[in-house]
Amino acid sequence: MPLIEQAVETAARRPVLSVQNLKTHFLTDAGVIKAVNGVSLSVGEGETLAVVGESGSGKSVTGLTVMRLLGRTTARVVGGSIEFIDRDGKAIDLLNLSDMGMEKVRGHDIAMIFQDPMSSLNPVFTIGNQIAEPIRIHQGYGKKEARAKALDLLRQVGISDPESRIDSYPHQLSGGMRQRVMIAIALACDPRLLIADEPTTALDVTIQAQIMALLKQLQAERNMAMIFVTHDLKLVDEIADRVAVMYASQVVEEGPVDQVLGHPRHPYTKALLECIPSRRDAQGERRQLHPIPGTLPNPLSPPSGCRFHPRCAFAADICIASDPELEAVARDHVTRCLRWQEVAL
Amino acid sequence: MSEQADIERSAAEIRVQPLLSARGITRHFGNDGGMFSKASAPIRAVEGVDLDIASGEVLGVVGESGSGKSTLGRLVLRLIEPTSGTVSFDGKDLCSLQTGEMRRFRRHMQMIFQDPFSSLNARMTIGDALVEPIALHLGLRGQAARDAAVGVLERVGLHADHMKRYPRMFSGGQRQRIAIARALASSPRFIVADEPVSALDVSVQAEVINLLQQLQKELGLTLMFISHDLSVVEVITDRVMVLYLGRVMELAPTESLYGNPAHPYTAALLQAAPGMTSVKKHILKGEIPSPANPPSGCVFRTRCPFAIDACAHTVPTLRPVGPDHLKACIRDDIEL
Ligand SMILES: Nc1ncnc2c1ncn2[C@@H]1O[C@H](COP(=O)(O)OP(=O)(O)O)[C@@H](O)[C@H]1O
Ligand SMILES: Nc1ncnc2c1ncn2[C@@H]1O[C@H](COP(=O)(O)OP(=O)(O)O)[C@@H](O)[C@H]1O
Ligand code: SF4
Ligand SMILES: [Mg+2]
Ligand SMILES: [Mg+2]
């Protein structure tokens, strides 16, 4: 896309969520786990931001902090801000909102879906009940109207013959069907932002393709903002406009998908791409996979300086000594690498 | 030698001396004379599969969950008994072996699972976990057994220091290495790896794939590699079998299958898999039907974008469409 057009498109996207320098820590018996340590993210109307990283990098905790779904006894937000911009353009400080206020945001503005729908669905209520309830509470519908709306939502999420499904219990449905129900519940409040945390990870590729297509379609129809959390880089290209790559509780690179995946500017992003089995190269040869040396850092004692330095092929003394900040490498594209100007990735 | 000749040669080798052969292998579950056996139809997990794997070959098995991959893997190792059909290994009919004989035979055939935790005993040190199969199958005792255990540990990139540790002290990737070492301990010729990298992070996954590939080459192992991840299968296999509701839909050399899928189900799987093709012509609709009540004719017809009336009446046979390339679809007039 020509740069000018891209600039226009970016500018036209009204911001929906802006997370700045967020820090969420867990106080455990073994010590403090800095699960999210200085994460900044933003997403606009009609835009999808993918958050990608290996397990334990802090993706879910970031989403849960935005939703304020973490228990206060162990999880502490020790820094940063989360700003949500509502339909009227008013900025709401989510971290300092009352519990009641937050409850309202979750019913009207931001919804979240998870990898395992069973953990969010109540096994003793029918799915119709579970979709209709929030509609009645948050939108003041009567029983009949709420049921009609639930039927309509089931239809929208691609459940054929919803009349015969609406009175089913969660265990009577397949995994793909349950995820559709979760999406219906999420959409019931007509959210401005949907946070989808690995929504297809437990599904077969065929069902994954269906759910991805559904999410894309619903997002376009509703001009929703979406944060799509995944460990699978291969999905990013299919769904997202921008991508944030996380490593050890931090965003290490963020930018437009084409740029970040096509011309990564952080050694970790590059290394992650080299691990992915992909089609053969131009000569038809099988590409050798290049694992990243070493192991993921211990969350209780992450390395000093650049968190990636013990595994990085380009690490120098400075990488052990100084903490890298996010720096702009191009418009809209940032990297957290001290040596990005010197290394050829 | 040209690629074509290569392929034909390997096809010929398989015909001459397959290491493992299955004929009409079938497994039904649930209708074993139990209380409800009359009321409910049996689950047809694997239905009439013919299969030859050449010595040193890596055969991939793909398909959605519930398509019968794991059951097929357990059948060819005779970890479960077939409802009908035969399996032979190195010319020996496995089903004719008595329990004791079969136990001795096990040293030649091993299995690696998705979850390395469940296949390792949490209260056993790694050393003990390795010495056990070495003593059982190779008859080694004491220091000799421990030396052999260190040998296999080193083969998988771990070392003697690790012998005294317990599984929980290892990362997921290291545990999978240990599970591989345990499978290798009896010096098997054939290994069934059932989703061995599916639970691992990509960086660790790449490590384990490289390790399996290296071991396979060095030891001349024959491998059945079961996975739902088509991109991993493409990297590691020589040939691929596509299963759906327990039946073989397509069987072909890897390059030929990925480059020219001949069965609508294979094409749909490849299009659904992220990053495999840029073409997304058909998103496969619906879900895999119950194996207790498979569709008549072609079992795939209820989801097939190319199904015609005849598909409901004819059970497609697995027939050649190219060198060593077989498909079970009655239509030849379709553009995938
Ligand atoms: N409830 C919790 N208590 C303690 N530590 C936690 C808790 N939830 C997550 N963590 C830790 O926080 C880190 C980030 O976890 P998470 O956000 O779930 O990672 P991801 O979603 O990227 O796989 C991990 O080290 C994890 O162990
Ligand atoms: N021990 C068992 N008892 C009953 N049904 C089984 C058993 N094992 C597998 N099945 C059924 O057989 C079918 C094939 O299963 P499986 O071989 O595990 O498929 P895959 O590995 O491809 O997911 C599924 O419908 C499954 O539920
Ligand atoms: S036989 Fe018919 S239903 Fe089956 S794959 Fe071919 S075209 Fe589709
Ligand atoms: Mg997570
Ligand atoms: Mg299985």
Side-chain angles (χ1 to χ4, degrees), chain A residues 26 28 33 35 54-61 299:
Chain A
F26 290 99
T28 71
I33 293 179
E54 293 179 273
S55 57
S57 55
K59 307 181 296 295
S60 294
V61 173

Side-chain angles (χ1 to χ4, degrees), chain A residues 224-260:
Chain A
M224 226 167 28
M226 177 153 75
I227 296 179
F228 187 88
V229 174
T230 181
H231 70 280
D232 189 350
L233 259 184
K234 299 194 288 324
L235 289 179
V236 169
D237 187 40
E238 295 193 0
I239 199 155
D241 304 296
R242 288 190 303 128
V243 56
V245 181
M246 286 190 73
Y247 184 78
S249 315
Q250 298 179 321
V251 172
V252 295
E253 181 165 8
E254 202 245 49
V257 169
D258 301 356
Q259 278 186 49
V260 174

Side-chain angles (χ1 to χ4, degrees), chain B residues 263-264 298 300-301 304 306-308 311 316 328-331 334:
Chain B
H263 195 285
C298 170
F300 183 56
R301 72 178 165 82
C304 180
F306 304 100
I308 51 177
C311 302
C329 165
I330 60 170
R331 294 195 67 177
I334 49 181

Side-chain angles (χ1 to χ4, degrees), chain B residues 29 43 45 64-72 74 291:
Chain B
F29 287 109
I43 292 166
E64 288 164 284
S65 52
S67 56
K69 305 182 295 297
S70 297
T71 304
L72 180 64
R74 293 193 293 152

